[in-house]
Amino acid sequence: MMAACAPPTSAPLEPPLAGCYPSMPPGNRGLSYTGTPDVKSNVTVHAATDNTCTGGVEPGTEKATLVVASNRAEAVAKCLDLWGLGYDSTYVTLFRSWAWDLGPSAWAC
């Protein structure tokens, strides 16, 4: 008798590590990440333009949030859960699209 076939499981999504992330290309703003995904305002975009995590918060980025998702639809759903129905999901994109490479599953709200 053959053993039951188990469906393949995908590896869990890995959130990025907490820390300071320089932007690409160099000479832009650094980004600090708390290390806790899927919570409001867990990212700080710094005002200094020397690619460090100094200089306070860049105005207009106070609500920057990182969610971990396997695709954009999942990221949008998480952003809406966090920020409510009035949230404009137009800007949900991978952080690496905005100059910071925090990995393939790190999405910006």
Side-chain angles (χ1 to χ4, degrees):
M1 180 176 194
M2 293 183 82
C5 181
T9 57
S10 58
L13 297 174
E14 293 291 327
L17 298 174
C20 178
Y21 289 83
S23 67
M24 299 298 190
N28 207 335
R29 289 168 175 77
L31 178 141
S32 296
Y33 170 59
T34 66
T36 305
D38 305 342
V39 296
K40 289 181 177 181
S41 304
N42 56 2
V43 168
T44 300
V45 178
H46 294 275
T49 58
D50 59 358
N51 237 353
T52 63
C53 291
T54 61
V57 178
E58 175 67 14
T61 66
E62 296 83 2
K63 293 183 177 182
T65 299
L66 181 146
V67 295
V68 173
S70 59
N71 57 55
R72 188 175 187 281
E74 184 182 345
V76 167
K78 286 185 173 189
C79 293
L80 288 171
D81 283 347
L82 288 171
W83 293 105
L85 293 177
Y87 177 74
D88 180 1
S89 63
T90 305
Y91 301 104
V92 175
T93 189
L94 286 167
F95 268 98
R96 55 172 55 163
S97 298
W98 282 357
W100 298 283
D101 191 358
L102 280 81
S105 61
W107 294 80
C109 294

